[in-house]
Amino acid sequence: MYRTHSCGELRLQHRGQQVTLAGWVQRIRNLGGMTFIDLRDRYGITQLTIDENTPDDVRKTAATLGRECVLQATGTVLERRSKNPKIPTGDVELALARITLLNAAETPPFTIEDDSDGGEELRARFRYLDLRRNPLQKAITLRHRMAQEVRSYLDSQQFLEIETPFIIKSTPEGARDFVVPSRMNPGEFYALPQSPQTFKQLLMVAGYDRYFQIVRCFRDEDLRADRQPEFTQIDCEMAFVEREDILQTFEGLAKHLFKSVLGVAWTDNFPRMSYADAMACYGSDKPDIRFDMRLNELTATVKGKNFTPFDTAEYTGGICVQGCADFTRKQLDELAEWVKRPQIGAKGLVYIRWTNDGIKSSIDKYYTSDELSAIAAQCRAAPGDLILLLSGDKKKTRERLGALRIEMGNRLGMRPNNVFAPLWVYDFPLLEWDDATQRFYAMHHPFTAPKPEDLPKFYSANRDDIAQVNANAYDFVLNGVEIGGGSIRIHDASVQQRMFEVLGFSESEANYKFGFIINAFRYGAPPHGGVAFGFDRWCALFGGQETIRDYIAFPKNNTGRDVMLDAPSKIDDAQMTELCLKSEIK
Ligand code: ASP
């Protein structure tokens, strides 16, 4: 036996036992006549002790050891003289009788400790060493737990886990596809799936009723912060369901994960909010409802006082930041700069401070104190509060106020990562008009069903009518992060064809790209719908982290590269020829 116990296992109850451990050398401390070696494996750290009673050969081997050597160590479990209450094995130590150096190690390029001294790039290059660190082991273990619990819950609800192919047909709509050249079909390409969307719908047509898969998806997007070109979804689909069935089933999944992974029992129903309300009240389709600070529309209230920005604006709105009336001029100027950053894009920021000396604002010249009080009342402000106002185009200004709200929430510590606020957002618009390409795009994807009451508008010849159609779609939001999204699908071939028409596809184009699904709908497609959750992000949120990278064993960096493998990379000329590829870049 290589080992009798793990490095995280020994306690006082093992006192006097002869045991064998195996692991990596975390640290060696020489204190006069004594040497202490911290031996680490994925379960913990145990202290090995060498003193005047230790056999000579053991001492000799120990003297040659360095960090990250792989050791097998046998000895007797003793009670420690000076205990370490910080670790579970801190009451005991192992008096070494025998050690075997299983493998030597070069000095690692960074310290394998909770707070490593290695920079991100270096740690990414040596990912297998970074993965030895405790925070990463915890993250990967949490991910495993989540996956197991997802499977156990969905299995208990009669879902079948079914794999779908990874090399499929390229049908870019939304993100760009990663493509794979086909050697056997010269000049032709497969694509990697952006999601198994069409396959899971075909499984419903095939009668499989409840499907799920914890599945890799691939999207060749320009990488925004914390996106990965390949990521994992919990992908699900159900037949013979309405929206309510889906929300309840997956609220059940979320509650099961809260309970089994975090030990949080959730009895209340998750709140729900329409897309229209989310935009009006939070300036976001994924509101963080851990804190209130809602948007208040002031458009009519503030007009007609000769303050041009408000007089000419389609929308003016304000948020009330409680207890912040004492913000200094400097802090307010800095906030004004913040909203003008290109990512936010506001022209300026108006503030109203309700201090002990009354109401003061940056627009005192235009508004009497009664008028300012009316604005404050509309924003549900109280003495001591600060009100921040933005104005302009309705959609953009709401989004800017929403971003400012989040920023204030961050600054004021209102977004603690151990508090969870789940939310369903529903009734999204079906389509978005794009001026540049002069066409509609599906807000979710082209298989999402219009709300039945909006079908007449969907068939209207008028663009404005079509733009108003709502989708039977919903998102699952956790702490201001979109964790999941789905919809009731179109299951009628003619409605699906109309959808492609609205999206500007000619009939032959639609048939070339999506003929298989339109055909399938002709053979008895049941009403169906589903949802997919971003598994990496859900794990990160449950782990209390912002970044998903720690929850993926081998992630790409923020330019989409695997710096450990040094991929992507060139392939040799013979391979290029075989695949009928020619590169312009040498
Ligand atoms: N396939 C969709 C996505 O990846 C999710 C869904 O509609 O089920 O966003």
Side-chain angles (χ1 to χ4, degrees), residues 44-218:
I45 288 181
T46 300
Q47 176 168 294
L48 316 179
T49 316
I50 297 171
D51 60 16
E52 66 279 4
N53 301 320
T54 310
D56 276 351
D57 60 319
V58 172
R59 281 198 226 213
K60 252 194 224 143
T61 313
T64 68
L65 297 176
R67 275 171 184 260
E68 301 307 312
C69 287
V70 188
L71 276 194
Q72 185 184 40
T74 302
T76 310
V77 181
L78 301 181
E79 180 167 359
R80 271 207 218 177
R81 266 153 285 174
S82 59
K83 300 199 167 59
N84 179 357
K86 286 195 203 121
I87 56 171
T89 59
D91 286 348
V92 296
E93 61 190 359
L94 198 66
L96 278 184
R98 215 165 49 237
I99 48 176
T100 310
L101 179 60
L102 298 175
N103 214 339
E106 288 184 20
T107 308
F110 50 85
T111 53
I112 314 280
E113 282 171 5
D114 287 10
D115 289 314
S116 172
D117 58 0
E120 206 161 302
E121 161 85 17
L122 188 67
R123 284 187 288 117
R125 261 202 289 142
F126 294 89
R127 183 69 176 176
Y128 45 88
L129 296 182
D130 205 18
L131 282 168
R132 285 184 191 166
R133 294 194 307 118
N134 200 24
L136 281 171
Q137 298 213 339
K138 261 171 72 184
I140 299 296
T141 307
L142 180 120
R143 183 185 177 107
H144 162 80
R145 186 78 274 128
M146 291 278 283
Q148 298 310 309
E149 295 299 343
V150 166
R151 290 202 162 91
S152 113
Y153 173 82
L154 291 176
D155 179 55
S156 78
Q157 303 294 310
Q158 277 77 50
F159 281 77
L160 298 178
E161 184 170 10
I162 306 175
E163 286 156 284
T164 51
F166 273 175
I167 46 176
I168 63 167
K169 186 184 173 84
S170 180
T171 52
E173 253 301 290
R176 256 182 231 104
D177 281 336
F178 279 103
V179 295
V180 181
S182 164
R183 180 184 56 81
M184 290 197 285
N185 303 276
E188 296 189 325
F189 295 82
Y190 300 101
L192 304 180
Q194 296 186 21
S195 82
Q197 184 61 37
T198 48
F199 290 103
K200 64 174 171 175
Q201 292 191 241
L202 294 175
L203 285 169
M204 295 305 109
V205 178
Y208 287 83
D209 208 38
R210 291 179 166 213
Y211 140 96
F212 87 100
Q213 192 178 185
I214 300 181
V215 63
R216 198 67 52 80
C217 301
F218 306 85

Side-chain angles (χ1 to χ4, degrees), residues 194-195 197 200 219 233 235-237 444-445 485-487 489 530-532:
Q194 296 186 21
S195 82
Q197 184 61 37
K200 64 174 171 175
R219 295 186 190 172
Q233 285 188 342
D235 190 46
C236 312
E237 197 76 5
H444 187 45
H445 53 56
S487 57
R489 325 296 186 190
V531 63

Side-chain angles (χ1 to χ4, degrees), residues 414-452:
M414 294 165 132
R415 308 182 71 209
N417 60 12
N418 58 353
V419 172
F420 291 98
L423 171 73
W424 291 107
V425 179
Y426 60 91
D427 281 2
F428 286 79
L430 184 68
L431 302 150
E432 263 174 322
W433 177 259
D434 179 52
D435 268 334
T437 49
Q438 287 288 301
R439 57 160 279 200
F440 280 116
Y441 284 87
M443 187 127 159
H444 187 45
H445 53 56
F447 310 104
T448 293
K451 297 216 74 175

Side-chain angles (χ1 to χ4, degrees), residues 213-445:
Q213 192 178 185
I214 300 181
V215 63
R216 198 67 52 80
C217 301
F218 306 85
R219 295 186 190 172
D220 187 8
E221 291 175 306
D222 294 334
L223 295 171
R224 279 185 265 150
D226 211 30
R227 287 266 180 121
Q228 290 281 318
E230 52 176 312
F231 59 95
T232 303
Q233 285 188 342
I234 308 168
D235 190 46
C236 312
E237 197 76 5
M238 301 168 81
F240 304 114
V241 284
E242 294 172 343
R243 182 183 78 193
E244 192 55 35
D245 301 292
I246 296 193
L247 298 195
Q248 287 197 12
T249 303
F250 293 101
E251 189 160 319
L253 170 66
K255 285 178 177 170
H256 176 78
L257 293 177
F258 269 118
K259 182 93 196 28
S260 57
V261 179
L262 297 181
V264 176
W266 211 286
T267 43
D268 295 343
N269 291 335
F270 292 171
R272 297 182 186 182
M273 196 182 293
S274 70
Y275 169 85
D277 285 347
M279 293 311 292
C281 300
Y282 297 93
S284 166
D285 59 0
K286 40 179 186 295
D288 183 349
I289 56 166
R290 276 174 298 181
F291 65 110
D292 200 34
M293 208 191 284
R294 287 179 213 206
L295 276 53
N296 304 283
E297 175 157 9
L298 303 162
T299 317
T301 317
V302 297
K303 275 197 197 293
K305 307 287 181 251
N306 292 326
F307 183 57
T308 318
F310 288 175
D311 281 349
T312 54
E314 183 190 3
Y315 171 94
T316 299
I319 53 173
C320 170
V321 191
Q322 284 179 352
C324 289
D326 56 356
F327 262 39
T328 61
R329 191 55 206 255
K330 193 163 157 239
Q331 281 173 301
L332 292 165
D333 287 348
E334 193 265 321
L335 270 184
E337 285 312 308
W338 189 89
V339 298
K340 286 190 211 157
R341 291 158 12 132
Q343 303 94 303
I344 308 296
K347 290 222 180 66
L349 179 72
V350 168
Y351 64 80
I352 300 172
R353 295 159 56 206
W354 192 343
T355 66
N356 291 338
D357 311 328
I359 296 192
K360 297 250 167 2
S361 80
S362 54
I363 44 172
D364 281 350
K365 261 201 267 166
Y366 303 92
Y367 295 85
T368 64
S369 75
D370 280 353
E371 285 160 353
L372 293 174
S373 296
I375 299 174
Q378 221 176 316
C379 293
R380 284 161 293 177
D385 292 349
L386 167 71
I387 301 160
L388 301 172
L389 284 77
L390 294 178
S391 63
D393 165 88
K394 184 169 183 170
K395 184 163 185 287
K396 289 206 182 101
T397 306
R398 279 175 165 180
E399 285 170 1
R400 287 168 184 150
L401 264 181
L404 180 61
R405 171 183 177 272
I406 292 293
E407 176 66 16
M408 296 314 291
N410 284 338
R411 292 186 188 199
L412 299 171
M414 294 165 132
R415 308 182 71 209
N417 60 12
N418 58 353
V419 172
F420 291 98
L423 171 73
W424 291 107
V425 179
Y426 60 91
D427 281 2
F428 286 79
L430 184 68
L431 302 150
E432 263 174 322
W433 177 259
D434 179 52
D435 268 334
T437 49
Q438 287 288 301
R439 57 160 279 200
F440 280 116
Y441 284 87
M443 187 127 159
H444 187 45
H445 53 56

Side-chain angles (χ1 to χ4, degrees), residues 171 173 198 447 500 505 509-518:
T171 52
E173 253 301 290
T198 48
F447 310 104
F500 290 128
F505 292 16
E509 219 178 330
N511 277 328
Y512 176 73
K513 287 186 170 171
F514 298 108
F516 62 96
I517 197 156
I518 299 174

